[in-house]
Amino acid sequence: MKLIILATAASVGSALGPLAPSVSARDMMPKKLGARWYTGYQTAYPNGAKDMPDSPPESTSATLGDHDPKLFNFWKQINEQDDVYEVALARPLGIVFEEIAPLGAAPAGVKVIEVSEGSNAEKAGCVGVGDVLVGVTAVRYPGSAYLGAAKPERDIFPAHEMNFDTVVEAIGSNEPPECDDVILRLRRAA
C-alpha cells in the first residue's frame, strides 16, 4: 500500500477562492498550548531533546504531569544515533510513503519511496528515498471537561510500529493555528 502525503488537508480558502476570508477567526486566536510542546532535537528540554536529564523528572506541576518514560527515552535517542535525523517541514510535505510490513505481519512503520519535485521535503534537502520514518510529531488534547478546556500538547512518537492510518493521523494533527510544521525523525537509507 502506498500513501502520498502531498496535501493532508483541504483548504476552505482554496475551495471558495476569492469569496473566502483571508484570515479566519481561528487564526486570530492566541495559541494556548499545553505545558509540553516538542519543537525539535536542538531545543533545550523540556521542549526538545537538547541537554536532557538522565531520567524523566517528576513534575511538581499538575498541568505538566510526569513525562512518560518511554517517550522520554525516545526523545533522547536522537542524541545517540548517527544515522537518524530530524526535519521540520511545512505541509504539504511532498513525500510518498510505503508501509513496511511483510504480508500478514504487524506494521513496522513506513519508508520514503519518493520525494516530489519542488516539494517542501525536496527543498529541505535531507529527505531521501529509502529513509525510514522512526518518529513523527502529533498533537493531542489531554484532560477532560471537568479539568477545564484541554490545551494541545505536541510530542514526538515512535513510528516504527505505526501503520499508514496512524502516520496520516499524526501528520494531520499538526495543523494551524497551533502548528506551522510537522517534525519527522528519519533513519537514513543504508
Side-chain angles (χ1 to χ4, degrees), residues 107-118:
V110 297
K111 66 179 178 180
V112 177
I113 61 168
E114 183 181 331
V115 177
S116 300
E117 188 175 329

Side-chain angles (χ1 to χ4, degrees), residues 34-36 63-64 139-145 147-154:
R36 191 170 328 284
T63 57
L64 180 59
V139 177
R140 59 186 172 176
Y141 291 81
S144 62
L147 294 174
K151 294 180 181 174
E153 293 184 357
R154 181 163 91 162

Side-chain angles (χ1 to χ4, degrees), residues 22-177:
S22 60
V23 178
S24 71
R26 185 174 177 198
D27 293 335
M28 299 294 288
M29 293 172 48
K31 295 180 182 182
K32 295 180 180 177
L33 306 177
R36 191 170 328 284
W37 196 262
Y38 188 81
T39 58
Y41 74 98
Q42 295 176 324
T43 305
Y45 188 79
N47 290 328
K50 183 178 178 183
D51 302 326
M52 291 184 70
D54 292 334
S55 61
E58 289 189 29
S59 176
T60 56
S61 165
T63 57
L64 180 59
D66 293 334
H67 198 162
D68 179 287
K70 288 181 183 177
L71 288 178
F72 178 86
N73 290 328
F74 182 70
W75 282 33
K76 282 184 78 164
Q77 287 175 1
I78 188 72
N79 300 313
E80 301 163 359
Q81 300 170 334
D82 293 332
D83 62 340
V84 175
Y85 66 96
E86 282 186 6
V87 60
L89 298 172
R91 293 180 5 192
L93 306 179
I95 299 173
V96 180
F97 287 111
E98 181 176 61
E99 188 169 44
I100 305 168
L103 191 58
V110 297
K111 66 179 178 180
V112 177
I113 61 168
E114 183 181 331
V115 177
S116 300
E117 188 175 329
S119 68
N120 291 322
E122 184 188 53
K123 291 174 187 170
C126 57
V127 179
V129 172
D131 290 358
V132 175
L133 183 69
V134 295
V136 60
T137 53
V139 177
R140 59 186 172 176
Y141 291 81
S144 62
Y146 74 91
L147 294 174
K151 294 180 181 174
E153 293 184 357
R154 181 163 91 162
D155 217 327
I156 189 161
F157 294 91
H160 66 279
E161 294 178 1
M162 291 183 180
N163 61 25
F164 272 119
D165 293 340
T166 307
V167 169
V168 170
E169 288 174 13
I171 291 170
S173 71
N174 292 271
E175 64 181 3

